[in-house]
Amino acid sequence: MKVIVSLFLFLSSYCVFAGSGDDCVDCGNNLTGTNNKTLVLINYTAEELIDKLACGKESFDTGFCHLITVFEKMDNFYKYVKKCHSDISLDELYGRAAFACQDGGYNRHKMGLLNHLAIRFGTFSTDINDVIRVYRDQGRLEDFSKLINQKDSQGRTFLDIHYEAVQRGEYFGTTIKGLGERPLKKMCMLGGRFEKYPHPEWCKRKDKLFK
């Protein structure tokens, strides 16, 4: 489905869209039209926008935060990684230090990538299967458990952070329907632990997954 992106995207050299041509409406400074890094993009799907993306030298964190409002689904995220960060390892991608997205007010709290994705996508509990499968096929599900149990600067694990989002009924600061507990239950099965909040009896690891 087509989406209308009526935003001025202040993109770094990494985030310049190829073949701007007619896609650039009055390219320039917000008021005077003198800054050629300003684009107005309309009627493109997220996939089309990523296709037009010219990858640069900026870090993964920077690129992810620029595009987080463009991604419509996890597949868009995977496509971006494959296109612009194909050389990044599994551990570098998901095990990186916590980071925040300050621009636009989205996900301002520092957290690991899995937390950013879980709060961004309502279908995360299903989409994360692709990541879990890679760890499983490499015989590294124990490493995945360690990953989701890493604590952020506030002593929160994946379960703690997502629990807070569920309690607020929010992601991106917006109240939405359908932000439920499925990601919590899946991460419990994979060895996730609460640290900031009491660990509930229903949150149990399924050891058969690790054999």
Side-chain angles (χ1 to χ4, degrees):
M1 181 177 69
K2 296 286 185 179
V3 294
I4 295 178
V5 183
S6 58
L7 300 173
F8 283 91
L9 299 181
F10 298 94
L11 304 170
S12 62
S13 59
Y14 130 85
C15 233
V16 175
F17 288 87
S20 57
D22 295 336
D23 303 332
C24 184
V25 180
D26 189 27
C27 282
N29 180 280
N30 293 346
L31 299 177
T32 64
T34 57
N35 181 347
N36 63 10
K37 290 185 181 180
T38 302
L39 303 178
V40 178
L41 302 170
I42 61 173
N43 289 332
Y44 284 113
T45 66
E47 290 184 359
E48 288 169 337
L49 290 173
I50 296 170
D51 282 338
K52 292 177 177 290
L53 185 66
C55 303
K57 296 181 180 180
E58 273 67 15
S59 68
F60 168 81
D61 300 359
T62 299
F64 174 82
C65 288
H66 274 304
L67 292 170
I68 194 169
T69 57
V70 171
F71 296 141
E72 297 169 352
K73 52 188 177 180
M74 283 279 285
D75 284 348
N76 301 146
F77 164 73
Y78 292 138
K79 184 174 185 177
Y80 160 68
V81 172
K82 184 176 182 180
K83 178 174 183 177
C84 294
H85 297 281
S86 59
D87 58 342
I88 195 169
S89 72
L90 194 67
D91 291 335
E92 288 175 314
L93 188 61
Y94 294 103
R96 66 181 53 248
F99 64 98
C101 293
Q102 300 293 343
D103 294 340
Y106 301 113
N107 290 15
R108 289 183 176 181
H109 297 294
K110 288 187 176 181
M111 59 183 82
L113 176 61
L114 286 176
N115 299 107
H116 282 290
L117 294 174
I119 292 173
R120 173 64 180 93
F121 299 109
T123 59
F124 178 80
S125 61
T126 299
D127 297 330
I128 191 59
N129 287 340
D130 291 335
V131 178
I132 296 170
R133 192 174 296 113
V134 174
Y135 276 92
R136 182 200 64 195
D137 291 348
Q138 293 182 3
R140 300 179 56 202
L141 278 178
E142 293 284 4
D143 290 337
F144 186 82
S145 290
K146 293 177 182 177
L147 176 65
I148 61 178
N149 287 325
Q150 288 179 343
K151 298 178 184 178
D152 69 1
S153 60
Q154 299 181 45
R156 302 176 301 177
T157 63
F158 176 96
L159 288 175
D160 292 316
I161 291 173
H162 200 72
Y163 173 77
E164 290 177 355
V166 170
Q167 295 302 302
R168 292 193 306 267
E170 298 178 351
Y171 71 73
F172 279 10
T174 302
T175 300
I176 61 168
K177 296 180 180 179
L179 182 60
E181 296 183 351
R182 291 184 62 190
L184 300 180
K185 294 177 179 178
K186 176 162 286 186
M187 293 306 170
C188 285
M189 292 172 60
L190 291 163
R193 299 282 306 175
F194 288 87
E195 292 295 337
K196 181 177 179 180
Y197 300 97
H199 191 81
E201 178 63 25
W202 56 263
C203 185
K204 295 181 179 179
R205 167 173 157 165
K206 300 273 188 178
D207 285 323
K208 67 179 181 180
L209 296 174
F210 292 79
K211 295 179 181 178

